[in-house]
Amino acid sequence: MKKKKNVYKPKRHPHLLSNILSIMFTLVIASFFAVIGYSVAKPFGEIGEISSSRTDSGVNDNLETVESESVKIPRGFKAYWIKDREIPDLKTLQSTLDSISTSEYNMVIVPLKIEGGTLNYNSSNEGAVLAEAGNELSLSSVIEAVKASGFTPAASINTMQDNLYPKANKNAGFLLESSKALWLDSNNKEKGKPWMDPSSSASKEYLSSLTGEIAQAGFEYIISTNVEYPAFSENALKDIGSKVTDSNRYLDLIDTVNTMNKIAEDKDSNMWIEIPAYEMLTGTCEVFQPILLNTQKYVLKIDLSKFNSEIECNGKKINFASMSIGEKVKTICEETETKIYKTSFIPEISSLSLTSTQKAEIYSTFSDLKYDSYIIR
């Protein structure tokens, strides 16, 4: 306003100047609120338009695009999880993919790190090379094969059940407190195997590196599995010491997963964690700490072989013995929903064999429960 005054420099008519300035000030204020009002009203108007025109396919497409960009959680994925086993070459992978029905599934989960520590791909990680954990299969060829077969590619990483890397770098395994020797899960040294120690920085770095490789290659969805401690004997607990006897040891498991999750997120990938339904419902799953875990989704592993009798779930006894397979799945999912939101987990059915009739019953149950995503393993 001072600049305006200097331009006009009125001296002869002080009252006229006062009136003019008052009018100009009023116009400026009115213009300001008109602009602000429009900018605020327009988005609200657009929201009203979207709400009133949800039948328009173009609007719905735009909404889905915005949602998928802001929260990378898949909608309506029916996934087939290839069972943990070595996949030495592309021919073996393709043979497995050819056996998966495209009419039943639209996602395939490839086990890229399996129980024991073997990697089903060619890793550039020095530790993996030293441990001879990988093979010659490139991650890009895995993704291309899965996509060419008509599926969305996802990956799984077995975290703690690794006896290859701790042999190459003993600092990644559990060490005996007195001798600093590598702990083995058997008294027989020839048959005993080490495990990854979640409190070890070497373990975290190795798992994070593998997660980074897999995410960088283009896997948008990575599932961490077997995030657990081995079943230590009393002697093992004494020999290893406080790191495995401390009541807060679960924090190391959580820190390991959260570290992997951070790497995945940095490379535009989504880290999920597999939680065993039986252990979660009976209160024995150490890593199940929803407030502390940063992963986007839980994969609820429903091992049907564990639900064949009366079990105490969430503090109440439930008899699964007389239930059909659909009733079991329904009960387990509903009990899980009392602990975490329905949208926070994807049910995974784990079974050695499922008949076509049992599959149909499971699919029908998921439909009734309004689960648009599930996994068969």
Side-chain angles (χ1 to χ4, degrees):
M1 298 304 293
K2 287 185 178 180
K3 188 175 181 180
K4 295 281 185 183
K5 186 174 181 180
N6 290 338
V7 171
Y8 290 109
K9 295 182 180 179
K11 296 180 180 179
R12 297 180 183 179
H13 307 286
H15 297 294
L16 179 61
L17 171 63
S18 177
N19 291 337
I20 291 173
L21 287 176
S22 297
I23 293 170
M24 289 182 66
F25 181 78
T26 301
L27 290 173
V28 169
I29 294 297
S31 300
F32 173 78
F33 280 105
V35 171
I36 294 298
Y38 175 76
S39 62
V40 171
K42 187 176 186 292
F44 279 101
E46 290 175 344
I47 292 172
E49 290 170 6
I50 291 173
S51 299
S52 62
S53 59
R54 288 190 178 274
T55 54
D56 182 84
S57 60
V59 172
N60 284 334
D61 290 344
N62 290 336
L63 284 174
E64 289 224 3
T65 300
V66 171
E67 185 175 21
S68 63
E69 287 176 354
S70 60
V71 182
K72 288 191 172 182
I73 294 177
R75 303 235 177 219
F77 277 166
K78 282 56 176 180
Y80 181 86
W81 192 327
I82 298 175
K83 291 178 173 59
D84 268 23
R85 62 173 180 269
E86 289 189 39
I87 305 174
D89 50 45
L90 198 56
K91 183 179 179 181
T92 303
L93 174 61
Q94 191 60 59
S95 176
T96 301
L97 292 172
D98 291 341
S99 68
I100 303 171
S101 171
T102 53
S103 63
E104 289 187 71
Y105 307 102
N106 55 20
M107 172 186 271
V108 167
I109 301 166
V110 183
L112 293 180
K113 182 174 185 285
I114 65 174
E115 182 176 341
T118 296
L119 304 179
N120 282 321
Y121 72 96
N122 185 9
S123 174
S124 61
N125 180 277
E126 292 182 5
V129 174
L130 186 63
E132 298 181 345
N135 58 27
E136 297 304 314
L137 196 58
S138 69
L139 286 171
S140 60
S141 65
V142 174
I143 289 179
E144 289 170 7
V146 174
K147 286 184 175 180
S149 297
F151 304 106
T152 296
S156 68
I157 297 177
N158 189 309
T159 55
M160 297 296 121
Q161 293 181 351
D162 185 331
N163 59 269
L164 294 181
Y165 184 62
K167 287 180 181 178
N169 180 2
K170 78 171 189 176
N171 291 322
F174 295 103
L175 302 179
L176 303 181
E177 202 167 37
S178 57
S179 64
K180 303 303 177 186
L182 190 63
W183 172 82
L184 304 179
D185 61 5
S186 171
N187 292 328
N188 187 330
K189 291 185 178 180
E190 293 182 1
K191 294 182 179 180
K193 298 175 182 178
W195 279 54
M196 296 276 270
D197 176 4
S199 71
S200 163
S201 59
S203 291
K204 291 185 178 70
E205 289 170 6
Y206 181 62
L207 291 168
S208 295
S209 174
L210 299 184
T211 301
E213 282 185 332
I214 294 169
Q216 185 70 45
F219 284 90
E220 289 187 51
Y221 310 103
I222 304 172
I223 306 172
S224 59
T225 72
N226 296 94
V227 187
E228 61 187 4
Y229 285 92
F232 292 116
S233 66
E234 288 296 325
N235 288 335
L237 291 172
K238 293 177 183 178
D239 292 341
I240 299 171
S242 59
K243 68 166 60 178
V244 293
T245 56
D246 194 305
S247 60
N248 291 325
R249 69 178 193 175
Y250 67 90
L251 293 174
D252 289 319
L253 292 174
I254 290 170
D255 186 52
T256 297
V257 175
N258 285 347
T259 302
M260 295 168 68
N261 177 74
K262 179 64 168 59
I263 296 296
E265 283 186 342
D266 289 346
K267 297 184 181 298
D268 297 322
S269 186
N270 299 277
M271 174 66 75
W272 300 340
I273 180 172
E274 183 187 56
I275 300 292
Y278 180 84
E279 284 78 1
M280 187 268 288
L281 292 176
T282 56
T284 58
C285 183
E286 288 185 79
V287 77
F288 181 68
Q289 303 290 335
I291 295 177
L292 301 178
L293 284 167
N294 296 333
T295 51
Q296 289 195 5
K297 284 270 190 182
Y298 298 99
V299 173
L300 183 71
K301 182 180 181 180
I302 302 174
D303 185 347
L304 293 170
S305 66
K306 292 189 175 183
F307 292 91
N308 290 322
S309 60
E310 186 177 79
I311 300 169
E312 186 169 329
C313 298
N314 292 334
K316 60 185 177 184
K317 292 183 178 180
I318 300 175
N319 188 4
F320 290 92
S322 59
M323 292 185 186
S324 68
I325 194 168
E327 290 170 335
K328 288 181 181 180
V329 171
K330 181 176 185 291
T331 302
I332 293 166
C333 288
E334 288 178 342
E335 287 298 319
T336 300
E337 288 176 27
T338 66
K339 289 181 170 289
I340 52 177
Y341 289 116
K342 183 175 189 174
T343 54
S344 298
F345 70 92
I346 298 175
E348 168 206 336
I349 303 300
S350 176
S351 178
L352 293 176
S353 62
L354 288 172
T355 65
S356 57
T357 302
Q358 288 175 325
K359 283 184 180 180
E361 186 177 352
I362 291 171
Y363 298 155
S364 177
T365 301
F366 285 142
S367 178
D368 292 341
L369 294 173
K370 301 190 185 312
Y371 286 103
D372 57 4
S373 293
Y374 54 80
I375 299 169
I376 303 295
R377 185 175 184 178

